[in-house]
């Protein structure tokens, strides 16, 4: 392993942290992360990394220039490498067959074609990106088109399970590392070589190997199960609001059953992030293609409940504000899809903002890590709001106190710790009355807020008026189409 070289194609949220940790844990391995985006690579080589992830800065700064490099010279790094990780994005298709559901593999295919075109020696090519089942077979076929018949390409599946915000800890202490490969002598040898890399820091019993298809499907299954848990507790939150039960108490009660477990039971304004929706839709599409319509419908419901949760939250806000928010200032606390990340992909805040903008609300958006540029760009998407609407109705504020000045309501959409410790008396004093707080994350002290004078409404719980999110059922807001989100 002394001279092993890794090239990672795709310097994004997955490729960057994953390969930085490999460099940290394997000082004898040289890791180079390449990307077609030269600005991104320049940022990785600067003091201001292109993504925010706790502990990432320290790792990059300690390894960069030693055994960790960032480059745009993709062909050279492909050629030099023993292992090539493909970590490019695999978004939901926005065109053609499978539009709105299937994963778009054009970037993965482009990587495979590049490798086939330039490789001059044996390579182990590793799917890090989440791909549909059997993608490895397609990659293998493209690689086989390399004119040099003496080169041996082995394709492995090694899906990533890191969650943003805890990526570094997830990578250093993974629950498991999954490696799938071909059941042949060359396949087993390639699997073993990758096992040896991870075994530098991951206990052997946590490195599991299997056939490629099981590995590819396991990644989709893991994300589908996690997303399903959130939709299950969110579905339960609606029942709680309608009955006077408290979803946090229900989550605690069921979570103590060791068969259920207590993680991923936090009711919310809906899950976001680049993976859950994309991967569940990908699974639904796979089931449809396999002529398993009942199974497809089952998983589709996970997405339906997520859309429903976002809509009924926004709808509850409108209902409470006397059925009109036109011209009213509403403060959105949090724009990232979860705390401790600056990532906004598929964030529920975008959809809540959309529904409120559709009703003419003025939004004051405050997030500790998301830039104004990002917020404006997300909201100005053709499926969300026009540029004119955003220019007219959206302001952004880094100071939460200024963000709340003369607002009618605060909607908590991201569970940033910073929102828990604000001086809410000071905030109350500068808001219009009655002052509302809608806690879409269940993070605030509702009793204290009520005693200050706020009207408090929380997902899955009756605080001030009760059933506000449920009695509208989201019906006073136009539904997005059943599959493709607005
Ligand atoms: C990853 C996975 O790859 C995806 O399959 C998973 O489901 C979510 O996480 P992520 O790292 O979040 O994607 O994507 P992103 O941050 O967009 O990074 C991808 C990078 O690949 C970008 O920097 C892009 O410039 C680069 N890229 C894309 C290439 O270098 N070459 C290409 O051909 C395409
Ligand atoms: C997820 C998976 O956890 C990870 O294993 C996979 O590799 C990529 O997708 P990520 O999207 O980064 O990771 O974040 P995650 O922590 O899973 O949260 C996803 C969304 O679910 C967030 O919007 C989060 O706020 C929400 N969530 C999570 C809830 O609403 N309730 C919960 O109990 C947990």
């Amino acid at each position: 392993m002394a001279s092993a070289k890794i090239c990672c194609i795709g310097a994004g949220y997955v490729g960057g942290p994953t390969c930085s940790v490999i460099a940290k844990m394997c000082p004898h391995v040289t890791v180079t992360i390449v990307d077609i985006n030269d600005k991104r690579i320049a940022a990785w080589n600067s003091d201001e990394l292109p993504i925010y992830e706790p502990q990432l800065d320290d790792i990059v700064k300690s390894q960069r220039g030693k055994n960790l490099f960032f480059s745009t010279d993709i062909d050279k790094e492909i050629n030099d490498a023993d292992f090539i990780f493909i970590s490019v994005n695999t978004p939901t298709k926005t065109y053609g067959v499978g539009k709105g559901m299937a994963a778009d593999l054009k970037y993965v295919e482009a990587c495979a074609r590049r490798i086939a075109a330039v490789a001059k020696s044996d390579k182990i090519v590793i799917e890090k990106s989440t791909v549909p089942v059997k993608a490895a077979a397609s990659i293998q076929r493209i690689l086989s088109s390399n004119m040099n018949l003496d080169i041996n390409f082995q394709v492995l599946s090694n899906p990533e399970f890191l969650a943003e915000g805890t990526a570094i800890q997830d990578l250093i202490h993974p629950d498991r590392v999954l490696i799938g490969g071909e059941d042949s002598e060359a396949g087993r040898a390639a699997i073993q070589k990758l096992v040896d890399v991870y075994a530098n820091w991951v206990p052997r019993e946590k490195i599991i190997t299997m056939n490629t298809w099981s590995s590819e499907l396991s990644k989709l299954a893991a994300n589908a199960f996690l997303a399903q848990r959130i939709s299950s507790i969110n579905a339960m939150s609606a029942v709680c609001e309608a009955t006077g039960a408290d979803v946090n108490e229900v989550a605690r009660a069921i979570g103590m059953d060791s068969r259920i477990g207590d993680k991923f039971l936090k009711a919310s304004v809906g899950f976001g992030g680049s993976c859950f929706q994309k991967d569940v839709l990908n699974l639904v599409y796979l089931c449809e293609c396999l002529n398993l319509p009942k199974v497809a419908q089952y998983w589709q419901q996970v997405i339906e409940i997520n859309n429903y949760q976002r809509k009924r939250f926004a709808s509850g806000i409108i209902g409470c504000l006397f059925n009109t928010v036109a011209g009213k200032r509403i403060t959105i606390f949090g724009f990232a899809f979860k705390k401790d990340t600056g990532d906004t992909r598929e964030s529920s805040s975008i959809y809540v903002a959309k529904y409120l903008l559709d009703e003419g609300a003025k939004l004051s958006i405050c997030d500790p890590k998301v830039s104004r540029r990002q917020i404006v760009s997300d909201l100005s998407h053709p499926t969300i709001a026009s540029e004119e609407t955003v220019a007219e109705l959206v302001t952004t504020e880094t100071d939460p106190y200024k963000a709340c000045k003369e607002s009618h309501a605060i909607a908590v959409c991201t569970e940033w710790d910073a929102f828990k410790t604000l001086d809410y008396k000071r905030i109350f004093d500068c808001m219009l009355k009655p002052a509302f707080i809608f806690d879409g994350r269940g993070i605030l002290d509702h009793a204290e807020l009520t005693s200050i004078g706020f009207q408090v409404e929380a997902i899955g719980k009756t605080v001030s008026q009760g059933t506000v999110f449920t009695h509208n059922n989201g019906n006073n807001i136009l539904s997005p189409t059943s599959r493709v989100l607005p």
Side-chain angles (χ1 to χ4, degrees):
M1 197 46 62
S3 61
K5 283 195 168 168
I6 292 176
C7 165
C8 171
I9 309 179
Y13 283 92
V14 168
T18 306
C19 286
S20 299
V21 167
I22 294 178
K24 175 85 185 166
M25 304 315 257
C26 311
H28 52 289
V29 173
T30 302
V31 182
T32 306
I33 306 177
V34 297
D35 202 293
I36 47 173
N37 181 338
D38 51 0
K39 286 201 187 80
R40 222 171 199 193
I41 290 298
W44 279 105
N45 280 319
S46 75
D47 284 341
E48 187 113 357
L49 301 187
I51 61 173
Y52 169 72
E53 192 62 56
Q55 298 177 277
L56 180 64
D57 268 43
D58 291 347
I59 292 186
V60 170
K61 282 173 192 160
S62 79
Q63 300 311 122
R64 203 170 48 192
K66 292 181 189 151
N67 69 332
L68 177 63
F69 303 91
F70 297 90
S71 166
T72 48
D73 195 346
I74 300 176
D75 291 358
K76 175 184 176 298
E77 298 306 331
I78 287 175
N79 249 322
D80 287 355
D82 306 297
F83 301 90
I84 302 169
F85 284 92
I86 300 182
S87 304
V88 295
N89 37 335
T90 50
T92 302
K93 266 186 95 176
T94 53
Y95 55 88
V97 176
K99 176 180 171 180
M101 299 189 75
D104 191 343
L105 291 183
K106 68 179 175 199
Y107 302 127
V108 171
E109 179 173 335
C111 291
R113 288 187 182 279
R114 199 73 225 141
I115 297 168
V118 304
K120 297 194 189 69
S121 58
D122 293 355
K123 308 285 170 204
I124 296 174
V125 176
I126 302 151
E127 292 174 342
K128 210 23 133 176
S129 305
T130 308
V131 288
V133 183
K134 299 214 170 174
S138 310
I139 296 175
Q140 185 74 58
R141 280 187 62 194
I142 292 168
L143 293 174
S144 305
S145 68
N146 180 297
M147 299 311 279
N148 186 343
L149 296 177
D150 293 337
I151 299 184
N152 177 24
F153 292 104
Q154 279 298 318
V155 181
L156 302 181
S157 158
N158 173 218
E160 191 46 74
F161 296 104
L162 66 82
E164 287 175 34
T166 54
I168 301 302
Q169 284 308 310
D170 294 344
L171 287 160
I172 294 177
H173 305 288
D175 287 347
R176 79 307 206 183
V177 168
L178 186 55
I179 301 173
E182 194 184 283
D183 190 14
S184 64
E185 198 179 321
R188 283 189 293 273
I191 291 174
Q192 190 54 48
K193 283 187 183 158
L194 189 57
V195 168
D196 290 342
V197 172
Y198 283 105
N200 280 291
W201 79 96
V202 181
R204 288 267 174 174
E205 65 276 12
K206 290 196 171 180
I207 307 176
I208 52 177
T209 61
M210 57 185 64
N211 82 37
T212 320
W213 303 337
S214 301
S215 172
E216 288 174 334
L217 184 58
S218 298
K219 168 69 193 199
L220 290 185
N223 275 353
F225 271 59
L226 290 168
Q228 180 222 44
R229 265 176 89 91
I230 302 170
S231 280
S232 296
I233 198 71
N234 282 344
M236 213 46 85
S237 75
V239 180
C240 288
E241 289 160 30
T243 56
D246 178 338
V247 75
N248 297 316
E249 290 177 355
V250 175
R252 184 162 154 249
I254 62 174
M256 284 173 77
D257 184 326
S258 60
R259 294 168 302 175
I260 297 175
D262 61 359
K263 301 215 173 82
F264 262 67
L265 284 181
K266 185 76 190 154
S268 67
V269 60
F271 59 74
S274 71
C275 290
F276 283 171
Q277 177 174 297
K278 166 173 78 70
D279 291 349
V280 175
L281 288 174
N282 190 345
L283 181 61
V284 171
Y285 184 67
L286 177 73
C287 296
E288 283 184 355
C289 293
L290 296 171
N291 200 18
L292 300 168
K294 287 283 170 206
V295 185
Q297 282 164 21
Y298 173 77
W299 289 109
Q300 177 70 31
Q301 283 306 310
V302 170
I303 301 295
E304 301 291 333
I305 287 289
N306 203 47
N307 293 338
Y308 166 74
Q309 189 78 344
R310 289 164 167 171
K311 269 189 288 167
R312 72 183 196 92
F313 182 69
S315 183
I317 295 174
I318 297 162
C320 267
L321 295 181
F322 315 104
N323 283 317
T324 175
V325 289
K328 290 182 182 165
R329 185 168 151 103
I330 298 175
T331 303
I332 306 273
F333 269 0
F335 205 75
F337 81 95
K338 64 176 192 178
K339 73 171 182 177
D340 294 338
T341 175
D343 192 351
T344 60
R345 289 177 291 177
E346 287 303 327
S347 175
S348 288
S349 307
I350 298 173
Y351 297 96
V352 171
K354 175 200 160 45
Y355 298 136
L356 295 174
L357 288 173
D358 285 348
E359 294 291 320
K362 289 183 178 164
L363 302 182
S364 160
I365 302 176
C366 176
D367 188 286
K369 280 286 171 203
V370 183
S371 67
R372 176 180 167 76
R373 222 180 78 221
Q374 186 64 48
I375 293 171
V376 169
S377 146
D378 287 336
L379 293 180
S380 307
H381 190 272
T383 56
I384 304 295
S386 69
E387 281 179 26
E388 296 74 44
T389 303
V390 174
E392 187 192 336
L393 297 178
V394 177
T395 53
T396 57
E397 267 299 345
T398 46
D399 178 344
Y401 297 100
K402 282 193 192 146
C404 297
K405 195 158 182 284
E406 294 180 1
S407 276
H408 288 264
I410 299 170
V412 181
C413 290
T414 314
E415 73 281 24
W416 285 102
D417 290 339
F419 297 142
K420 295 182 192 167
T421 50
L422 296 173
D423 178 350
Y424 279 97
K425 173 77 176 80
R426 185 175 153 202
I427 289 179
F428 179 78
D429 289 342
C430 73
M431 286 177 66
L432 299 181
K433 308 296 175 324
F436 289 87
I437 288 194
F438 300 93
D439 188 353
R441 291 289 188 162
I443 55 165
L444 302 181
D445 183 338
H446 302 142
E448 190 202 325
L449 293 173
T450 307
S451 73
I452 290 172
F454 280 106
Q455 293 289 306
V456 183
E457 303 300 337
I459 282 283
K461 189 174 165 183
T462 304
V463 187
S464 295
Q465 298 183 14
T467 69
V468 290
F469 299 126
T470 306
H471 68 203
N472 283 306
N473 277 331
N475 288 338
N476 63 347
I477 285 174
L478 281 179
S479 304
T481 55
S482 64
R483 295 234 165 85
V484 188
L485 277 172

